[in-house]
Amino acid sequence: MRLRMTVMAGLATLAGSIGLYPLFESGGWFWAGVGAVLAVAGGGVLARRLRLPAPVNLLFGLAGLVLYLNLVYASGQAWLGIIPSPESVGHLGDLSDSGWRAANRYAAPVPVLPGIELMTAAGIGLVAVLVDLLAVRLRRAAPAGLPLLAMYSVPAAVREDGVSWLAFGVGALGFLALLMADAREQVGGWGRTVTSFRQRDVPLAGADPRPDEGSALPDAAALAASGRRIAAGAVAIAVLVPAAVPGLQPRGMFGLGGDGGGGTQTVTTPDPLVSLKRELTRLDDSIVLTYRTNDPEAPDYLRLYALDKFEGDRWTYTQLDSHPSDRLDERDIPSPPGLSVASSREVTTRVQVRPEVRDMSFLPVPYAPSDVSISGDWRVDERSLMIYSLRDSADGRAYTVTSRRAEPTIGQLAAAGNHPAEIVSRYTAVPKNVPREVRQLAEQVTAGSATALSQAVRLQRWFTLSGGFTYDLSAPAPKHGSDLVDFLLHSKRGYCEQFAASMALMARILGIPSRVAMGYTSGSEVRPGQWVVRSRDAHAWPELYFDGTGWVRFEPTPSGAGGQGTAATPEYSLPESTGGGSEGSDSAPAPETSSPADNQAPAPQPSARGRNDTGETGGAAAQDDEDGGFSAAPWLAGAVLILLLLAVPMALRTFTRRRRWAALMSPSLSPSRTRTRTRPGAPPGAAVRAPSPDPAGAAHAAWREMRADALDHGLEWRASDSPRATARRLGELLELDGEVEQALTRIARAEELARYSLSRSPEPPERLRADVRTVRDAFAASVGRGTRWRARLLPPSTMAQTLTTLQSAGNRALDAKARLNDLPARLRRK
């Protein structure tokens, strides 16, 4: 029964579960986990007492867990208070459903509600089942650390702070204790310790030559002490070294650092443009945030970053040195540069970030923010007005933003005067390694423009209409200066990063201050004043500076069905005439005589996904309809899909085999591969050309089939060997009998004649096909059961072809989904 190991496995699971503490407000969840571990241990002990196989040990552990959950959370509906009944199972499902919604509604730490407690006990119990199976039943204690590590991944993914060093140390010591107990049992199973007397000193004359009674025993205490020192040292290194590495702990070792003393901290974040590509290509298209606004028009974009520095191959922002005085609760947000009150209006936006969002240390806000109401340590960069935090995250938070939205007129932008010297020096810098072709292209596209506005409009129009560009999410992100040249002059395929980066760079070449902003488009309106922003709404766009108006947005990325679906072109960038006066050369008509409103993304209809897509931003409780419940239908559908995917290699192998032999009897054969026969009842001389199998083709088909069968059964196949050498090596390797050896020899001889001789193979296709089946059966008989099943279900000869097919099917499915999503917009335009 291995009672000692059972106890150690349970203690290791409980020690690892301590790492879940940051997720909960109180400690009631832990005692629920203790009960689940005890129930699983009891099921495992019973299975080992009955000497049942390992899979049954797993089932007994799961049964113990189910009985425990049924007793604690659904005893009123169970038979005799413990035996599961349909009513008790339904109650557990309802409780899990409520726990699932609550877990998605609240940000960590969450209250220990009954549903959340049930899900936590079930999760700890499942980990206990795996640890008991691996460490106790299968005697593999080291792999048991993987399910224990999975429990640490949950708080690490949910909370920015992760798990404290003390909780990690407790879990690590529990795992090490499990390893030590397993090692002690395995060594003890070898039998009594074999010892030898050890002479430390040569005995003196007349002394008793017999050693001391204790000297006959090994020095176990010293070995145990060495093991403990190694274990303690390993845990200490794992905890202390990451905490001491600069940059991994922004608040210092053990969280004791920070800027409490009034120092300066450097703000470091992942590459924003890498995060942009990841968001745009996510398959789930999940909701990032919802918001309400009092803006009577379509809301402006939500900006996260302002990338002001071009390094020759990519855009990034200047390093932010954060001071304690930058906190929002200690200062007012600076006025946006160049934006006057006369050319702007005030907008209030209430934002609710979804709890599923991770590590959002920069706030998405409409530009330009003048006041942000949010709890926590949030700061503002004076130059870019980016709102960020060194320790907090926006995950699951709600906040209110008051911003000044620019409302420039065409005349104001066209009449913008000289820019301030600081703006010019900072936002028109261009590296010397920018190719000459790009500089010439910028001047060529804007030739004849008299104002900065007309130049910007012509650049935008060139990217969206006349330049021949195509929106393509599969395009790689630019990594070198040559990638930019290729996008502008050759491929002309990319997504918003390439469009925004290229227009901002060309604007700087023309002397217009510019930068690249990154964040989200305004999203989709689901109710009046209420909007939803999804991961596919992630976007990058250029911002150009005009004196008197400040930073204004342009949109060079194609929008609608053929581009970024929710991108919208600003009205001031589509004027009928940008030059002013009588300069007709500056004329830049709007695309296809459409009004600016036509270029806005159409307001989507309410979602048909069976649930509300937004929820209420004013309170978390109103998001129940949006989150949906915990339903078994998606899991069943997913299981069916997985089974279908697993069946693809087997089906493809069968199809390939049948097609290979069927091709030999194809009616579309050349005259040299057909024979003439007389049809019954036909007049004399009338003949019909009937298909005749090609001997060379049959030999090649048999050889390819045998090669695929050998690879499927894990046998070595040397491409450099001749057919005769291959047959001889396989015969010696498998020790084939007479009939199988003759079949193998016939296949090899037929291939040899078809490959090296002009004479035809004497073997008919039916005989070769039967020989292939005989050899295949011999291959299967020479390997183990696992290899035979792999050859049937996941044949290696077709796995590469299967992966290619699945990837192609996935790409086609994504394209079809994009077309369906854009279908309403295309119908409206018609």
Side-chain angles (χ1 to χ4, degrees):
M1 292 186 295
R2 306 192 71 193
L3 292 179
R4 177 182 297 177
M5 282 300 298
T6 301
V7 173
M8 293 307 301
L11 292 178
T13 303
L14 292 176
S17 68
I18 293 177
L20 300 174
Y21 79 93
L23 304 178
F24 307 98
E25 291 182 348
S26 59
W29 63 272
F30 179 77
W31 302 111
V34 171
V37 171
L38 292 176
V40 169
V45 169
L46 180 59
R48 290 185 287 276
R49 177 71 175 178
L50 299 176
R51 300 182 180 276
L52 299 175
V56 181
N57 192 110
L58 176 67
L59 295 179
F60 268 59
L62 293 174
L65 176 61
V66 171
L67 290 176
Y68 166 75
L69 298 177
N70 192 72
L71 174 64
V72 175
Y73 299 100
S75 59
Q77 293 80 18
W79 294 326
L80 302 179
I82 186 173
I83 302 176
S85 65
E87 292 77 11
S88 65
V89 173
H91 180 72
L92 290 177
D94 295 339
L95 201 58
S96 300
D97 184 42
S98 64
W100 181 266
R101 289 199 301 266
N104 285 280
R105 182 187 312 142
Y106 298 107
V110 299
V112 186
L113 302 175
I116 292 179
E117 184 179 282
L118 167 65
M119 295 177 62
T120 305
I124 296 175
L126 290 176
V127 173
V129 170
L130 295 176
V131 174
D132 184 83
L133 175 67
L134 293 171
V136 186
R137 179 62 179 83
L138 299 179
R139 301 175 182 269
R140 297 291 186 269
L146 295 177
L148 295 176
L149 183 63
M151 288 193 289
Y152 286 100
S153 66
V154 177
V158 171
R159 288 178 58 86
E160 183 181 7
D161 294 338
V163 181
S164 71
W165 65 272
L166 182 60
F168 171 80
V170 172
L173 290 176
F175 178 56
L176 291 175
L178 178 64
L179 294 177
M180 293 174 62
D182 179 69
R184 185 183 295 272
E185 273 206 2
Q186 291 191 16
V187 173
W190 296 345
R192 297 183 57 187
T193 306
V194 179
T195 60
S196 60
F197 295 105
R198 181 174 57 187
Q199 280 188 319
R200 297 183 179 178
D201 298 303
V202 179
L204 299 176
D208 188 359
R210 292 175 299 176
D212 296 336
E213 184 176 349
S215 64
L217 300 176
D219 192 4
L223 292 175
S226 299
R228 286 192 292 269
R229 285 194 292 270
I230 292 174
V235 173
I237 291 174
V239 174
L240 296 177
V241 171
V245 174
L248 290 184
Q249 300 291 337
R251 287 181 286 168
M253 186 176 294
F254 307 131
L256 301 178
D259 57 350
T264 300
Q265 288 185 274
T266 300
V267 182
T268 58
T269 62
D271 190 336
L273 295 176
V274 174
S275 303
L276 170 67
K277 181 63 177 291
R278 184 172 60 247
E279 286 289 293
L280 287 172
T281 54
R282 285 184 60 173
L283 298 180
D284 57 356
D285 194 20
S286 58
I287 296 177
V288 177
L289 57 89
T290 58
Y291 66 92
R292 288 184 178 275
T293 179
N294 63 354
D295 197 336
E297 301 178 4
D300 206 357
Y301 292 176
L302 302 173
R303 192 192 65 167
L304 282 165
Y305 306 99
L307 312 181
D308 62 339
K309 185 168 61 174
F310 182 66
E311 298 179 341
D313 54 359
R314 67 188 186 100
W315 285 83
T316 183
Y317 58 81
T318 304
Q319 176 177 292
L320 304 181
D321 294 327
S322 182
H323 303 267
S325 58
D326 293 334
R327 292 173 178 163
L328 292 176
D329 54 3
E330 295 186 7
R331 66 169 300 177
D332 294 332
I333 296 180
S335 300
L339 180 60
S340 63
V341 177
S343 59
S344 64
R345 56 186 170 84
E346 187 175 272
V347 176
T348 301
T349 308
R350 174 71 175 174
V351 183
Q352 173 73 56
V353 180
R354 293 299 300 269
E356 296 84 359
V357 176
R358 298 289 177 263
D359 303 325
M360 184 180 281
S361 57
F362 281 64
L363 281 187
V365 296
Y367 186 80
S370 58
D371 182 72
V372 178
S373 176
I374 185 173
S375 60
D377 180 15
W378 293 89
R379 311 183 179 203
V380 58
D381 178 56
E382 183 175 3
R383 292 171 298 191
S384 64
L385 302 187
M386 292 188 292
I387 310 296
Y388 63 92
S389 178
L390 299 174
R391 62 185 64 191
D392 292 324
S393 175
D395 315 352
R397 291 178 180 263
Y399 55 93
T400 303
V401 183
T402 302
S403 56
R404 304 294 311 181
R405 180 172 181 177
E407 286 188 317
T409 64
I410 297 173
Q412 289 174 334
L413 295 178
N418 296 328
H419 310 302
E422 179 185 359
I423 295 293
V424 172
S425 61
R426 183 180 180 85
Y427 295 102
T428 59
V430 177
K432 295 181 180 179
N433 61 348
V434 172
R436 181 171 53 86
E437 298 91 335
V438 177
R439 300 176 185 269
Q440 293 176 347
L441 182 63
E443 297 174 356
Q444 176 184 347
V445 172
T446 60
S449 300
T451 65
L453 174 61
S454 62
Q455 290 177 321
V457 169
R458 289 197 173 190
L459 286 176
Q460 176 179 280
R461 181 181 176 85
W462 182 67
F463 281 109
T464 57
L465 290 176
S466 60
F469 289 88
T470 303
Y471 185 83
D472 185 4
L473 276 175
S474 64
K479 298 179 180 179
H480 309 285
S482 58
D483 297 338
L484 179 63
V485 177
D486 180 72
F487 168 72
L488 288 172
L489 301 177
H490 304 295
S491 71
K492 296 191 175 184
R493 303 183 68 89
Y495 55 99
C496 55
E497 176 184 346
Q498 287 93 330
F499 286 98
S502 299
M503 180 171 174
L505 174 61
M506 296 173 77
R508 286 196 175 189
I509 292 174
L510 298 172
I512 307 174
S514 61
R515 64 189 184 188
V516 174
M518 201 205 99
Y520 297 93
T521 64
S522 54
S524 304
E525 187 176 18
V526 293
R527 282 193 284 270
Q530 185 170 346
W531 296 72
V532 171
V533 174
R534 297 179 175 271
S535 57
R536 291 288 179 91
D537 296 324
H539 195 43
W541 63 93
E543 291 182 341
L544 277 57
Y545 186 89
F546 291 86
D547 192 38
T549 307
W551 293 102
V552 295
R553 175 177 66 86
F554 285 81
E555 189 53 87
T557 304
S559 59
Q564 219 288 355
T566 54
T569 305
E571 183 175 355
Y572 50 77
S573 66
L574 295 172
E576 294 182 358
S577 178
T578 61
S582 59
E583 219 173 300
S585 61
D586 270 345
S587 177
E592 300 180 2
T593 69
S594 61
S595 65
D598 293 333
N599 292 276
Q600 303 291 336
Q605 301 299 321
S607 173
R609 302 185 180 190
R611 66 182 189 206
N612 182 10
D613 278 339
T614 60
E616 295 292 331
T617 60
Q623 293 182 2
D624 290 355
D625 293 337
E626 171 192 334
D627 294 330
F630 182 83
S631 173
W635 296 96
L636 292 177
V640 172
L641 179 61
I642 291 175
L643 293 177
L644 292 177
L645 292 178
L646 291 177
V648 169
M650 178 175 60
L652 186 60
R653 179 72 182 94
T654 304
F655 173 77
T656 302
R657 180 184 295 123
R658 293 182 178 178
R659 185 184 63 178
R660 185 169 286 159
W661 291 110
L664 297 174
M665 300 302 298
S666 174
S668 58
L669 297 173
S670 61
S672 62
R673 294 175 55 183
T674 60
R675 57 186 175 87
T676 303
R677 64 179 176 87
T678 302
R679 186 173 54 192
V688 178
R689 305 290 289 182
S692 176
D694 178 19
H700 293 323
W703 186 255
R704 293 190 189 100
E705 272 299 300
M706 189 176 72
R707 174 184 177 275
D709 291 333
L711 296 177
D712 292 341
H713 290 88
L715 303 178
E716 181 185 9
W717 187 275
R718 299 175 182 174
S720 59
D721 285 354
S722 65
R724 186 176 303 180
T726 300
R728 182 172 58 253
R729 183 174 54 81
L730 290 176
E732 295 173 353
L733 177 66
L734 304 179
E735 299 180 357
L736 302 178
D737 59 14
E739 181 182 356
V740 179
E741 187 174 4
Q742 292 176 5
L744 181 61
T745 302
R746 283 193 294 268
I747 297 173
R749 177 172 172 77
E751 173 64 11
E752 191 175 53
L753 291 174
R755 187 184 300 181
Y756 304 117
S757 175
L758 296 178
S759 60
R760 295 188 175 185
S761 170
E763 305 296 338
E766 294 78 7
R767 181 65 174 272
L768 291 177
R769 189 171 185 179
D771 290 340
V772 169
R773 285 195 295 266
T774 301
V775 174
R776 184 187 307 124
D777 295 338
F779 288 166
S782 65
V783 297
R785 180 182 302 176
T787 304
R788 285 198 298 271
W789 279 106
R790 186 194 65 174
R792 296 173 186 172
L793 301 179
L794 298 172
S797 62
T798 61
M799 285 303 295
Q801 183 180 357
T802 302
L803 294 177
T804 303
T805 302
L806 291 178
Q807 184 178 8
S808 176
N811 293 335
R812 287 195 295 268
L814 290 178
D815 293 340
K817 179 184 176 183
R819 293 191 186 98
L820 289 176
N821 290 338
D822 298 331
L823 182 58
R826 293 199 299 268
L827 294 177
R828 289 191 186 93
R829 285 197 297 270
K830 291 181 180 179

